[in-house]
Amino acid sequence: MRAVVVREFGGPEVLELSEMPEPTTRPGHLKLRTRLAGVNYADTHLREGTYPAPMPCPFIPGNEVLGESEDGRRFVALGKGGGYAEQAAVHRKLAFEVPDAVADRDAVALMLQGNTAWHLLHADLRLTAEDTLLVPAAAGGVGSLAVQLAKRTGAKVVAMAGTEAKRQLAADLGADAVVDSSTVEGLTERILDAAGGHVTAAMEMTGGDVFHATLDALSPRGRLSVFGSVTGTQGLVPIAQLVGQSKSVTGFWLPSLYPSRTLLNESMAQLFTAVADGWLKPLHGPAYKLGQARQAHADLAARLTTGKVVLDLSL
């Protein structure tokens, strides 16, 4: 089969289209003929060797796949690599049959990014209608879904994005206010101005100065959930600010939920229903050929994409 392989850690140039053996199916697994492979920031960290759960080289990246089983059913699944290939073996407990009312492009957007947004808001931040939520990268895969899910709870949503076009997308999705995040200078003040001076909950995935600007904008007793660090910048959380203003900072990583089938089963059922009912609309990003994985990674890193980015095996 054709597959994209990483033989050494590095930039997008290490992604090589190669002929590889088909995956073997172990007990408890399904073999899928891949239709779509999701492209996520986690894939770029795996490629660089900086992911929290690194994989030894050589490996096939891609933690998210939508495909057809040997009996003709559609499944969307999570795994540890293997998605950038014409066939993938996935564990049954992390594979979910796609309802007829949900299209392929919508289903693959729900798997990693939809579940991340859902659990960030409902499990980690425990969002309510009384909250004002700050959403970063609001035109991206997680952010665009978070805006819609948060509005469904009745919360006020302040969306951040780096270009006017992306801010307009966030507004079209229902954000109550938008903030220019193209520069960190004055970011705290811009957030507070857009939020009316009050931010009770926030998502964060950039790290460094953006993390501190977001924490500074958080109201006393506010909650901040960190689900990534795109810049790779590590830093110390100011204890005095946490204690003095009773702010809380938590971390979220979707694979921590994998051992509990119940949690993902519940969120996937809710997400599928929301799409089928028409109120949750995943934002479709660009689709690349399997052999264009390098370009997909480069465009994602350069913030040139919006919505859900995929490799489409039919192209």
Side-chain angles (χ1 to χ4, degrees):
M1 68 175 184
R2 294 184 307 145
V4 175
V5 182
V6 173
R7 303 186 190 280
E8 61 179 353
F9 296 123
E13 70 279 357
V14 304
L15 298 168
E16 299 179 4
L17 185 62
S18 304
E19 289 290 331
M20 297 291 289
E22 294 180 5
T24 56
T25 305
R26 294 172 290 165
H29 286 67
L30 286 170
K31 182 184 284 189
L32 300 178
R33 181 167 57 84
T34 306
R35 292 187 182 184
L36 300 171
V39 179
N40 301 288
Y41 274 108
D43 301 343
T44 68
H45 293 307
L46 270 171
R47 186 201 72 224
E48 295 167 345
T50 58
Y51 193 60
M55 297 178 65
C57 293
F59 65 90
I60 298 171
N63 294 336
E64 177 184 52
V65 63
L66 182 141
E68 187 176 314
S69 64
E70 293 174 312
D71 60 2
R73 293 182 293 163
R74 288 187 303 152
F75 285 87
V76 64
L78 291 167
K80 187 177 181 182
Y84 292 10
E86 290 180 319
Q87 295 189 51
V90 298
H91 201 291
R92 289 180 181 273
K93 74 175 183 178
L94 294 175
F96 302 87
E97 188 169 359
V98 180
D100 291 340
V102 179
D104 286 0
R105 289 293 300 271
D106 291 337
V108 76
L110 299 178
M111 191 70 263
L112 193 151
Q113 293 171 334
N115 275 297
T116 295
W118 181 274
H119 289 283
L120 276 169
L121 299 185
H122 297 304
D124 208 33
L125 291 172
R126 300 184 184 277
L127 199 71
T128 71
E130 286 71 44
D131 280 310
T132 296
L133 173 72
L134 181 65
V135 178
V142 174
S144 61
L145 292 168
V147 168
Q148 297 174 73
L149 292 170
K151 288 303 299 178
R152 188 71 173 182
T153 70
K156 178 179 179 180
V157 175
V158 178
M160 296 199 296
T163 69
E164 179 59 37
K166 290 181 178 181
R167 291 190 289 275
Q168 185 59 55
L169 267 175
D172 292 343
L173 290 171
D176 298 282
V178 294
V179 175
D180 182 355
S181 59
S182 60
T183 175
V184 75
E185 185 177 355
L187 181 57
T188 296
E189 291 73 20
R190 292 197 300 278
I191 292 170
L192 289 173
D193 182 62
H198 191 58
V199 177
T200 61
M203 300 159 50
E204 214 293 292
M205 42 73 73
T206 304
D209 292 339
V210 174
F211 168 86
H212 289 288
T214 301
L215 184 63
D216 288 345
L218 204 62
S219 300
R221 299 184 65 190
R223 299 100 66 203
L224 172 60
S225 184
V226 179
F227 63 105
S229 180
V230 172
T231 63
T233 303
Q234 302 293 319
L236 298 176
V237 178
I239 301 300
Q241 188 175 161
L242 299 188
V243 175
Q245 299 184 39
S246 297
K247 297 179 181 180
S248 63
V249 178
T250 57
F252 179 79
W253 188 42
L254 187 64
S256 67
L257 304 184
Y258 291 0
S260 173
R261 171 118 186 213
T262 302
L263 290 174
L264 289 178
N265 272 351
E266 291 175 351
S267 55
M268 282 306 298
Q270 295 278 357
L271 291 165
F272 280 147
T273 298
V275 170
D277 288 348
W279 66 261
L280 183 64
K281 300 181 185 299
L283 185 60
H284 296 177
Y288 300 82
K289 297 178 181 179
L290 183 62
Q292 294 177 310
R294 292 179 179 179
Q295 190 63 53
H297 276 224
D299 290 350
L300 188 66
R303 308 289 184 88
L304 299 178
T305 65
T306 58
K308 182 63 189 178
V309 180
V310 297
L311 300 179
D312 187 336
L313 278 289
S314 70
L315 297 178

